[in-house]
Amino acid sequence: MTGNITYDAVVEATFNIIKEAETILPEDVVKALETAKENESSDVARSQIEAILKNIEIAGNNTIPLCQDTGILIFYVEIGRELNIDFDIKGAILEATRTATQQVPLRPNAVDPITRSNSSDNTGEGLPDIKYDFVVGNQLKITVAPKGAGSENMSTLKMMNPTELGSIEDLIVETVLNAGGRPCPPVIVGVGIGGSFDKAARLAKSSLLRDVDDMNDDEKKILARINSLGIGPMGLGGDTTALAVHVGKSYCHTASLPVAINIQCWANRHASVILGGEE
Amino acid sequence: MEYHLETPLKEEDVEQLNAGDIVYISGIVLTARDEAHARILEMHEEGHELPFDLEGAAIYHCGPLMQKKEAEDGGEEWTVVAAGPTTSDRMSKMTPELLKHYNVRALIGKGGMNNVAESLKGKCIYLAYTGGCAALAAGSIKRVPKVHWFDLGMPEAVWELEVDEFGPLIVGIDTKANDLFTSIKEKARESFSKK
């Protein structure tokens, strides 16, 4: 059964979440920024967070993108295993991406990696990046997370030695330190530990979808250490270098310890939609 | 201190500024990112004249999101949707060469730059605008008089933006080679090493 899940319904729903993600920041991120503003002791730092909050308000009120770097689009698609999707779901997501590029609008960011020629519609071989998963039930959930390059470029992946377990925290903190003001702090730090070369990176990226405040004691400890560096909003000094550290874990080979760190700027954009679910 | 400057910028306009000061700019700013910097240097190398004037210019490290709209006279014109700063450090390697040949007086971007303070000395400042604040920035851009090198793609083209009180911009590197970003990073590295 597919109920009302049709090609056209997926195009429309996907377009809507792209527009939502690009123009409205999730409430938990906005709250974390407001708290950070109150806690900042430096005037310059407060002025930076004030500008960010003002920007969020303008973008939301006028339905325009929060940032000119509307990113590349990362999709997470969860398909209920009771569903029988008999249409081209990837084609629907591509069509929504092209329409959104024209109508939201989005900056055309997708280029050939070698010739650097721009496709003008945010699609191209391998883009947008769509990850599929099968889940229990009869619903289709689509999440979009636009990812800008400023923060993405500051990310790290290291195949560590299993006996180096004690230096994982140093690697995380040093990655944020080396990035400095470049990834638009306050950042959200997504970490993937274990899995494989690529699985660690995927875990780091999907960890960014968690609620900002959803942190365990280990994550809070790393966050406190990052914030003690004093890099501050935009690297201009201050108490808030990061809003959150989120670690995802996976079993890995006994001889391996892959660790990936994916940096996300303050504009932690993402939105989801659920289709179907009725009897 | 807070300053309000107009382009084209003069040497004395920028020499009075100190790292940490706040600046607002009015007039024309030119966007230029990786590809535009590379083409400027290439054209200089080949002895060609640039299609825009860099004398006293403010270069904005920005790849704006633009939209073509119908103009009042029935033709087409570009309007700014969102135009925040991009990561300036990607232009760090090309900037000293650029400043050797052209009297650019201000670089506007985010995140600071590496190893450029010496080449800025006595002639040019680096100004930081809050990263990601593209909707906010768009509000102070009044008009888009021209676009150059559109073949490079929307983000990489050189856009002439007419701005009014564009800011607040924080002086990140002044003409005396004081670099706010480097000193903050050095302190952070010290604190990291102590652990």
Side-chain angles (χ1 to χ4, degrees):
Chain A
M1 53 158 279
T2 51
N4 58 358
I5 304 174
T6 60
Y7 179 90
D8 288 343
V10 171
V11 173
E12 195 190 333
T14 306
F15 173 84
N16 288 338
I17 55 169
I18 295 172
K19 189 169 178 173
E20 183 190 332
E22 296 282 4
T23 57
I24 303 165
L25 205 59
E27 197 53 47
D28 59 301
V29 186
V30 180
K31 275 202 184 123
L33 286 163
E34 278 165 354
T35 309
K37 190 187 94 178
E38 278 162 31
N39 296 340
E40 266 298 344
S41 52
S42 136
D43 282 348
V44 173
R46 217 173 310 116
S47 79
Q48 298 302 302
I49 302 178
E50 263 163 23
I52 290 170
L53 289 167
K54 209 160 141 192
N55 183 71
I56 292 168
E57 200 185 321
I58 295 171
N61 288 345
N62 302 315
T63 327
I64 52 174
L66 288 151
C67 180
Q68 80 289 338
D69 186 355
T70 48
I72 54 167
L73 300 184
I74 316 289
F75 287 96
Y76 298 89
V77 179
E78 291 175 25
I79 304 169
R81 62 182 182 221
E82 290 167 34
L83 295 173
N84 173 22
I85 306 276
D86 58 357
F87 59 86
D88 181 10
I89 193 163
K90 182 183 168 189
I93 290 171
L94 255 65
E95 188 179 327
T97 300
R98 293 191 185 103
T99 311
T101 302
Q102 290 293 321
Q103 292 182 11
V104 172
L106 310 181
R107 195 176 68 181
N109 283 333
V111 303
D112 179 285
I114 309 296
T115 67
R116 311 305 291 180
S117 83
N118 195 313
S119 69
S120 298
D121 64 5
N122 281 312
T123 72
E125 193 181 332
L127 275 187
D129 188 10
I130 310 172
K131 299 162 211 297
Y132 301 93
D133 204 359
F134 287 95
V135 295
V136 173
N138 60 355
Q139 294 181 327
L140 174 69
K141 182 177 179 187
I142 306 172
T143 298
V144 64
K147 192 70 172 76
S151 57
E152 188 77 356
N153 286 348
M154 299 297 122
S155 304
T156 293
L157 191 140
K158 194 173 176 193
M159 302 305 285
M160 294 179 82
N161 191 313
T163 57
E164 290 180 304
L165 211 58
S167 14
I168 293 178
E169 191 184 305
D170 278 351
L171 181 70
I172 299 168
V173 178
E174 202 170 11
T175 298
V176 178
L177 169 65
N178 288 338
R182 289 176 290 175
C184 284
V187 294
I188 289 130
V189 186
V191 183
I193 302 178
S196 55
F197 178 74
D198 54 311
K199 177 98 193 242
R202 278 180 280 145
L203 273 172
K205 184 163 251 99
S206 59
S207 298
L208 298 171
L209 296 175
R210 268 164 58 190
D211 259 19
V212 173
D213 288 332
D214 174 22
M215 275 181 282
N216 64 30
D217 288 346
D218 289 338
E219 292 166 329
K220 282 182 190 158
K221 192 178 139 236
I222 304 172
L223 177 66
R225 205 177 142 198
I226 288 171
N227 284 334
S228 74
L229 296 173
I231 293 166
M234 299 302 145
L236 291 162
D239 307 312
T240 325
T241 306
L243 297 174
V245 174
H246 289 150
V247 182
K249 244 176 28 177
S250 160
Y251 268 51
C252 61
H253 192 290
T254 179
S256 286
L257 177 57
V259 178
I261 298 147
N262 196 203
I263 305 284
Q264 168 65 53
C265 64
W266 62 261
N268 190 13
R269 300 167 286 191
H270 52 90
S272 300
V273 65
I274 292 172
L275 296 176
E278 58 283 288
E279 286 301 306
Chain B
M1 287 286 283
E2 189 176 302
Y3 297 86
H4 298 259
L5 304 175
E6 274 197 38
T7 66
L9 298 165
K10 293 185 261 343
E11 201 176 314
E12 54 266 35
D13 287 336
V14 296
E15 273 191 329
Q16 60 180 338
L17 305 173
N18 293 307
D21 283 344
I22 295 169
V23 177
Y24 291 83
I25 287 188
S26 297
I28 297 288
V29 299
L30 295 165
T31 71
R33 315 182 7 136
D34 315 55
E35 304 282 342
H37 275 71
R39 190 174 284 183
I40 291 170
L41 296 180
E42 203 181 287
M43 286 185 75
H44 179 267
E45 182 93 345
E46 291 165 0
H48 297 302
E49 204 172 312
L50 299 176
F52 41 84
D53 192 3
L54 289 181
E55 184 64 38
I59 284 186
Y60 185 18
H61 300 148
C62 166
L65 166 56
M66 312 294 274
Q67 200 168 30
K68 218 177 221 174
K69 286 212 170 129
E70 206 174 298
E72 277 169 23
D73 62 7
E76 279 182 329
E77 66 176 8
W78 287 99
T79 56
V80 179
V81 180
T86 194
T87 309
S88 297
D89 190 37
R90 292 200 316 276
M91 273 59 77
S92 287
K93 274 194 186 144
M94 294 180 278
T95 294
E97 188 68 16
L98 178 87
L99 292 176
K100 220 187 275 174
H101 307 302
Y102 302 98
N103 288 322
V104 174
R105 296 286 175 210
L107 308 171
I108 307 166
K110 72 167 172 90
M113 298 179 80
N114 276 304
N115 305 317
V116 300
E118 276 303 311
S119 62
L120 264 68
K121 233 176 178 173
K123 62 182 293 189
C124 184
I125 44 161
Y126 176 79
L127 299 167
Y129 187 69
T130 315
C133 287
L136 188 65
S140 54
I141 299 168
K142 299 301 158 199
R143 222 166 50 89
V144 185
K146 259 183 207 161
V147 56
H148 307 275
W149 301 345
F150 194 67
D151 60 296
L152 296 175
M154 186 191 289
E156 304 289 342
V158 173
W159 297 89
E160 286 190 23
L161 308 176
E162 191 183 310
V163 296
D164 183 34
E165 292 287 312
F166 180 47
L169 307 162
I170 312 276
V171 178
I173 310 172
D174 63 23
T175 54
K176 280 89 61 181
N178 297 310
D179 183 344
L180 208 57
F181 291 94
T182 306
S183 54
I184 285 163
K185 220 166 166 180
E186 272 167 12
K187 266 188 236 157
R189 190 160 291 285
E190 262 173 49
S191 129
F192 175 75
S193 312
K194 269 188 218 152
K195 293 269 168 175

